[in-house]
Amino acid sequence: MQELQTQGSHSSPQGCGRVGCRTRPVSRVCRCIKHCVKGKVVITQNQGQSGPGKSASVQLYSSTKVDPSTGEGKLSRRAYLRHGKSKKKDSVKTTVYKMKLWVEADFGTPGALLIANRHKHKFFLESVTVEIPNQQIHFDCSSWVYPVDKTKSERLFFSNTSYLPGQTPPALVELRKSELVSLRGDGTGERKEWDRIYDYDFYNDLGHPDKGWQHARPILGGSRWHPYPSRGRTGRPSSNADPLAESRGESMKLDIYVPSDEQFSPAKLSAFLSNSIEATVHFLASEAKALLRDDSSDFRSFDDLRELFSGKRSQAVEEKVAEKLKKLVPYDLFKEVTNRSKEDTTKFPLPQIIAENDIAWMDDMEFARQMLAGINPTRIQCLQEFPPKGKHSVSTIKASDIENNLDGLSLIQVVITSSEAMEQWRIFILDHHDYLMPFVSRINANGVCAYASRTLLFLRSNATLKPLVIELSLPGFSRRTTSSRVFLPASQGTGAALWQFAKAHVTANDSAHHQLVSHWLHTHAVVEPFIIASRRQLSVMHPIHRLLHPHFKDTMHINALARNLLINAGGILEQTLFTGEISMELSSELYKEWRFNEQALPADLLKRRLALQNPAHPSGVELLFPDYPYGADGLEIWQAIKTWVTDFCTVFYKDDDSVRYDVEIQAWWSEIRNIGHGDKAHEQWWFNMTTISELVETLTTLIWIASALHASVNYGQHAYAGYPPNRPVQCQRFIPREGTPLFAEFLRDPDKFYVDMLPGRFQMTLGIALTEVLSRHTSDEVYLGCRPLNWTDNKEVKQKFKKFNDALQEIEKKIVQRNRNPELKNRCGPAKMPYKFLYPGTSNTRARGGLGAEGIPNSISL
């Protein structure tokens, strides 16, 4: 490996250039330069790009010696990159350079560095390691370095040593302050790809009003009608048709602005594009196959649906499908897909729900089990009163509808309101009624057939749930009235078919809620303001910044892509979900109910009455019944995170006053409350952030959301929703009433009626492709309890983190044991799908990836 060269090094006949240096040109070593600092620089690039070479340079700042002329740490001379040793993996090239710098005898300990890139290409700086006597100093950079002719400045990185604001070494105080100021910007101008500026904006970029009123969408955020978390500001020009909306341009692109520190690494970008291309090719293949049969609009039978996951396609011309696809994806991605599709004959991978038993999804127990162990396990709750009551109406479900299906118990025995009899709670509800009802008429005006639903379930003695009744409602003829139908379980005949249809409509409700609320809103959207505030108010040197950093990786980038492709007007979610163009408006409606203090798992379980307070338990709560896979695994993960956060915080904060007088933490929390989640600023439930316990609870909740909660609602999508009959995203027919022509059609062939009720082929296969992309782990994923070896130089913190890692590995063993326990029937169910969405994956340190991979990624990276 060739080394970095320095000006004024021992091999140079020149003097060091300092004013007053009297070294003669013939001298080999300047008297002012005494110490050799060695190290290495690791960068990654996309293959095909030339390395930066001598166009990139490195300088070190001292953390212990102040330069009187600047008030900052002493700055070394430059070292230039020349040659390095490279290796390639997939489409990414990693280059390691050795470094040798000569510094003055009184330089002190390096604490920061400057990187200048005068090459024509950006490069991704992974890390820098500096060796001084008896010590290695690590810089975990993980960021893009753009050419200085674009950025107009050099990049500053701090070492992995953490300091509270009042403990910052004097040589780094001014650097700490100036770096934070530069990251905040001034809130004006359009952001460029190479900028590192964090600012807030509303969701005013979802619509495209310049294309016509049909493409306009409400601005989310900044109003009591449509409250929403803030997003990162891009500063694009205003729309011509609506000056309050941001313009989107004429073509979709993948390069929407996010600060350079938040952009995908080369490895992540390569894996993301590869996964997206593969899933889209599967979609293109299935659509082309249908075109050859001249039957591209609908599936004809369950067997026809099954063909999506079997057999090979024809190499036919796919122009018609390609034209549809071209409107949904950026041109660069479209080009790669069409090229790959010419040689790729693969099919959609088989969803796990039909891998062992292709009719298990129809089982009532499996239908109910997925509310506890599926991809939306956070909506079900204990029924608090019978009959259920909404904001403006009372349910039409009667006691006579359910009292003969309670395994011999009476209704009064299973619906108890007395706090002394909590253990008797036996009826649960999956409620998609109140929040949907105001939108149902608008939704159905677009040709969709949607109801608002309530589903009641009974907790049996073996801890499984038995569906009791489904109520499907439509708006009545007069304001605030409803027209409802009640469906009861049946095992044969017409009643069984109608019951299956009712379950499909419930699942369509649940699918939209899952995607728009449990997944997008409650993880992706609510976390982004925390990221922006952390970058703007917490220095990289702040210990809390270091704690949270891995849990923010790639989130702003994936959210920006979602605004461009998924949640925008005419995007994939509008194309697939029954909620259509009101999807994000519905998400805003549910944000009105969001409270940060209820996002902690114990608080969430208590609110839904699926747990009881119990101080004897480590988490402070006890599950109402132990065979709730999401709750059982989740509480152990939650407690492990909380113990780790507590251990970490007590290393740096000795008492409550140290939190109260931490100026960066107080500015961070104030900005989250008043700007990031500004539409909730008036709420009284926010923590005051004056004690260590409040800080610990906040950080634990935030890490839980970004890691475990997101994993539980995201990575199982293909396993369950990849087979549309199990989780339809919309229904094309209402349930027929007896005596109508539609009912006669249903009687002739109930199976075909069910298939016809599902979305069209294009929407269905597009939805399957989306679940495939979202469910794949990338090979560069870092899992909960795992971090780079030298992410901190604090030995006590490293010991505490090892304890966290060990705790997660013990949880893995418990999850494996629970999944093997035949008495815990909700762990696998009729479909024989062990619950693994909260399996930490900590013990497997090898690079993983692909569909069905196990593990909780540290961050919301998909």
Side-chain angles (χ1 to χ4, degrees):
M1 242 179 241
Q2 297 193 22
E3 300 172 353
L4 293 168
Q5 302 296 310
T6 66
Q7 293 180 346
S9 73
H10 68 285
S11 61
S12 171
Q14 304 297 322
C16 73
R18 291 183 63 207
V19 175
C21 177
R22 298 175 181 175
T23 301
R24 291 177 296 175
V26 295
S27 298
R28 292 190 60 80
V29 181
C30 171
R31 294 190 184 96
C32 296
I33 301 177
K34 298 295 185 183
H35 290 298
C36 177
V37 177
K38 297 181 180 180
K40 66 178 181 180
V41 178
V42 182
I43 70 170
T44 56
Q45 293 174 288
N46 295 319
Q47 284 192 30
Q49 291 185 343
S50 60
K54 62 182 180 180
S55 299
S57 64
V58 182
Q59 290 176 279
L60 295 176
Y61 273 110
S62 173
S63 66
T64 54
K65 299 294 181 179
V66 178
D67 184 337
S69 65
T70 64
E72 300 172 347
K74 284 193 171 185
L75 185 62
S76 77
R77 305 199 68 179
R78 296 184 187 276
Y80 291 91
L81 305 183
R82 293 194 183 277
H83 301 287
K85 187 175 181 180
S86 299
K87 61 180 180 180
K88 298 178 181 179
K89 182 180 180 182
D90 299 327
S91 61
V92 177
K93 178 177 69 173
T94 301
T95 306
V96 180
Y97 297 89
K98 279 189 175 180
M99 181 172 76
K100 183 182 290 185
L101 280 165
W102 293 88
V103 297
E104 300 173 14
D106 63 347
F107 183 79
T109 304
L113 61 84
L114 281 177
I115 298 284
N117 178 13
R118 291 180 171 81
H119 192 47
K120 60 182 179 180
H121 294 304
K122 64 181 179 180
F123 59 81
F124 192 81
L125 183 62
E126 296 280 0
S127 64
V128 176
T129 304
V130 172
E131 296 179 6
I132 60 176
N134 304 316
Q135 187 181 359
Q136 281 192 337
I137 299 174
H138 300 279
F139 298 80
D140 184 15
C141 305
S142 300
S143 181
W144 290 97
V145 180
Y146 279 82
V148 292
D149 64 339
K150 296 182 181 297
T151 62
K152 308 305 180 186
S153 63
E154 300 168 330
R155 275 299 310 272
L156 176 68
F157 294 95
F158 291 100
S159 73
N160 291 356
T161 305
S162 297
Y163 306 100
L164 292 176
Q167 300 168 350
T168 311
L172 299 179
V173 169
E174 290 304 316
L175 290 174
R176 182 173 187 150
K177 291 179 179 177
S178 62
E179 174 76 353
L180 283 175
V181 170
S182 70
L183 292 172
R184 295 169 191 154
D186 60 6
T188 63
E190 182 175 0
R191 301 275 65 88
K192 305 301 181 184
E193 176 191 0
W194 49 83
D195 285 340
R196 289 178 66 232
I197 296 177
Y198 296 80
D199 205 352
Y200 300 93
D201 209 339
F202 303 129
Y203 277 73
N204 62 350
D205 63 341
L206 301 179
H208 199 337
D210 289 342
K211 293 178 66 176
W213 64 268
Q214 303 93 331
H215 300 273
R217 295 293 181 271
I219 294 172
L220 305 185
S223 73
R224 64 185 181 89
W225 298 279
H226 297 119
Y228 220 63
S230 299
R231 64 167 177 93
R233 179 182 177 276
T234 64
R236 291 184 295 193
S238 297
S239 162
N240 293 324
D242 181 359
L244 297 180
E246 189 172 276
S247 62
R248 295 181 59 89
E250 292 304 315
S251 61
M252 283 184 288
K253 297 180 179 179
L254 290 174
D255 60 353
I256 183 173
Y257 170 76
V258 290
S260 57
D261 286 358
E262 313 302 326
Q263 295 169 15
F264 288 168
S265 69
K268 174 72 174 187
L269 183 60
S270 174
F272 175 76
L273 290 177
S274 178
N275 291 346
S276 301
I277 290 167
E278 183 174 353
T280 312
V281 166
H282 294 161
F283 161 76
L284 195 61
S286 67
E287 285 292 291
K289 188 174 182 180
L291 270 181
L292 291 177
R293 293 198 307 253
D294 194 26
D295 181 28
S296 61
S297 59
D298 295 298
F299 292 99
R300 297 171 296 183
S301 65
F302 286 110
D303 289 338
D304 198 12
L305 260 168
R306 182 69 183 240
E307 287 184 15
L308 286 171
F309 313 102
S310 61
K312 293 186 176 182
R313 67 174 175 88
S314 168
Q315 296 291 328
V317 179
E318 299 164 338
E319 287 86 354
K320 290 184 180 179
V321 183
E323 282 304 311
K324 285 186 179 181
L325 183 65
K326 193 174 183 179
K327 298 176 182 179
L328 293 174
V329 301
Y331 177 74
D332 291 343
L333 180 59
F334 171 77
K335 186 177 179 181
E336 286 291 331
V337 167
T338 51
N339 289 338
R340 180 87 65 88
S341 69
K342 295 175 182 177
E343 56 190 43
D344 195 318
T345 58
T346 58
K347 68 257 185 190
F348 279 119
L350 188 68
Q352 196 176 354
I353 187 67
I354 56 172
E356 293 287 338
N357 182 341
D358 60 4
I359 61 170
W361 62 274
M362 302 177 72
D363 191 294
D364 281 0
M365 177 183 169
E366 180 62 31
F367 169 70
R369 187 192 76 89
Q370 290 182 28
M371 301 177 197
L372 302 173
I375 55 176
N376 197 26
T378 61
R379 184 63 185 175
I380 190 171
Q381 57 187 308
C382 190
L383 185 66
Q384 299 186 38
E385 59 180 338
F386 186 90
K389 292 182 180 179
K391 294 178 181 178
H392 306 299
S393 64
V394 178
S395 171
T396 59
I397 300 173
K398 301 180 178 63
S400 58
D401 293 326
I402 65 173
E403 60 187 5
N404 294 324
N405 204 13
L406 302 177
D407 291 359
L409 299 178
S410 66
L411 186 60
I412 192 64
Q413 287 177 290
V414 295
V415 182
I416 307 292
T417 57
S418 171
S419 59
E420 291 83 8
M422 285 184 179
E423 69 275 7
Q424 295 293 324
W425 290 339
R426 302 285 294 275
I427 295 184
F428 295 81
I429 182 170
L430 184 71
D431 195 344
H432 295 296
H433 182 276
D434 278 13
Y435 74 88
L436 268 180
M437 186 57 71
F439 296 94
V440 170
S441 293
R442 289 173 58 193
I443 291 170
N444 290 341
N446 292 324
V448 177
C449 298
Y451 299 95
S453 66
R454 293 185 179 106
T455 305
L456 301 190
L457 307 102
F458 174 65
L459 179 64
R460 310 188 76 174
S461 57
N462 64 0
T464 62
L465 292 177
K466 177 169 68 172
L468 296 173
V469 62
I470 291 173
E471 179 187 46
L472 301 179
S473 302
L474 293 171
F477 292 107
S478 60
R479 188 170 179 265
R480 292 188 177 182
T481 63
T482 61
S483 172
S484 301
R485 298 179 64 185
V486 171
F487 298 87
L488 303 179
S491 58
Q492 58 186 355
T494 301
L498 293 176
W499 172 248
Q500 201 66 37
F501 298 162
K503 289 195 295 183
H505 278 278
V506 169
T507 310
N509 285 178
D510 199 60
S511 294
H513 181 276
H514 160 258
Q515 203 65 272
L516 298 172
V517 182
S518 301
H519 183 202
W520 168 258
L521 174 63
H522 286 174
T523 63
H524 287 259
V526 301
V527 166
E528 185 160 347
F530 285 89
I531 300 174
I532 299 171
S534 297
R535 306 310 194 209
R536 286 167 52 91
Q537 300 297 343
L538 298 180
S539 166
V540 174
M541 289 187 281
H542 198 291
I544 301 307
H545 189 290
R546 296 211 189 278
L547 173 71
L548 293 176
H549 181 69
H551 304 292
F552 293 159
K553 178 176 178 285
D554 298 332
T555 302
M556 286 189 70
H557 199 159
I558 203 68
N559 284 3
L561 292 175
R563 297 201 311 273
N564 244 24
L565 301 172
L566 296 184
I567 63 174
N568 59 301
I572 293 176
L573 292 189
E574 286 197 4
Q575 292 280 339
T576 55
L577 298 178
F578 79 90
T579 45
E581 66 187 36
I582 63 102
S583 292
M584 291 302 292
E585 191 177 343
L586 184 66
S587 176
S588 168
E589 188 68 21
L590 270 295
Y591 179 63
K592 294 176 181 178
E593 301 176 2
W594 182 84
R595 297 173 51 143
F596 180 74
N597 63 330
E598 291 178 348
Q599 305 313 299
L601 180 60
D604 169 60
L605 293 171
L606 288 172
K607 178 185 177 182
R608 294 188 288 122
R609 297 199 176 190
L610 279 158
L612 316 172
Q613 288 186 335
N614 187 340
H617 282 249
S619 63
V621 302
E622 178 183 2
L623 288 176
L624 194 63
F625 56 98
D627 194 9
Y628 178 16
Y630 167 78
D633 297 357
L635 282 176
E636 293 192 345
I637 298 291
W638 165 270
Q639 191 55 39
I641 295 172
K642 187 169 186 177
T643 300
W644 153 238
V645 171
T646 302
D647 288 346
F648 181 90
C649 287
T650 52
V651 171
F652 298 96
Y653 295 98
K654 303 308 179 185
D655 52 37
D656 290 341
D657 281 348
S658 58
V659 173
R660 187 178 297 112
Y661 296 113
D662 183 335
V663 293
E664 290 185 6
I665 280 291
Q666 295 304 321
W668 172 73
W669 191 239
S670 175
E671 189 164 290
I672 289 166
R673 291 180 55 174
N674 295 303
I675 304 177
H677 283 279
D679 291 337
K680 296 280 186 177
H682 64 284
E683 302 284 1
Q684 300 302 307
W685 42 257
W686 288 102
F687 297 127
N688 292 320
M689 200 54 69
T690 56
T691 64
I692 294 176
S693 63
E694 288 180 332
L695 178 61
V696 166
E697 189 73 6
T698 296
L699 298 173
T700 303
T701 302
L702 190 52
I703 293 173
W704 161 260
I705 294 171
S707 58
L709 178 59
H710 179 259
S712 71
V713 299
N714 181 69
Y715 290 102
Q717 291 191 67
H718 185 266
Y720 284 106
Y723 185 61
N726 179 59
R727 283 189 71 81
V729 291
Q730 60 175 273
C731 294
Q732 301 291 333
R733 290 186 171 188
F734 292 114
I735 299 179
R737 291 183 179 272
E738 193 168 356
T740 64
L742 199 60
F743 194 83
E745 180 184 342
F746 148 70
L747 290 176
R748 286 194 294 272
D749 192 341
D751 282 356
K752 186 177 186 306
F753 192 93
Y754 187 97
V755 173
D756 289 345
M757 186 171 63
L758 299 176
R761 180 183 294 271
F762 183 85
Q763 288 83 2
M764 211 183 304
T765 52
L766 183 62
I768 296 171
L770 177 63
T771 68
E772 184 183 347
V773 172
L774 296 180
S775 300
R776 285 188 182 274
H777 292 236
T778 56
S779 58
D780 73 328
E781 209 67 77
V782 180
Y783 292 89
L784 193 63
C786 301
R787 294 189 72 162
L789 181 63
N790 296 302
W791 68 277
T792 179
D793 61 3
N794 188 304
K795 292 182 179 179
E796 185 178 1
V797 170
K798 284 185 176 180
Q799 292 171 353
K800 303 293 188 184
F801 191 68
K802 175 64 165 57
K803 174 184 167 185
F804 178 44
N805 182 287
D806 291 343
L808 290 172
Q809 292 193 47
E810 288 302 311
I811 293 172
E812 289 178 354
K813 296 175 184 177
K814 293 180 181 179
I815 290 175
V816 171
Q817 292 171 355
R818 283 196 282 263
N819 284 340
R820 291 174 178 171
N821 186 347
E823 294 182 2
L824 299 176
K825 299 184 182 303
N826 294 323
R827 300 294 306 192
C828 296
K832 300 180 181 179
M833 296 175 63
Y835 186 74
K836 296 182 179 180
F837 301 146
L838 287 175
Y839 182 86
T842 309
S843 59
N844 187 355
T845 57
R846 295 177 300 166
R848 286 153 286 178
L851 202 59
E854 298 172 359
I856 299 174
N858 268 324
S859 64
I860 302 167
S861 57
L862 270 181

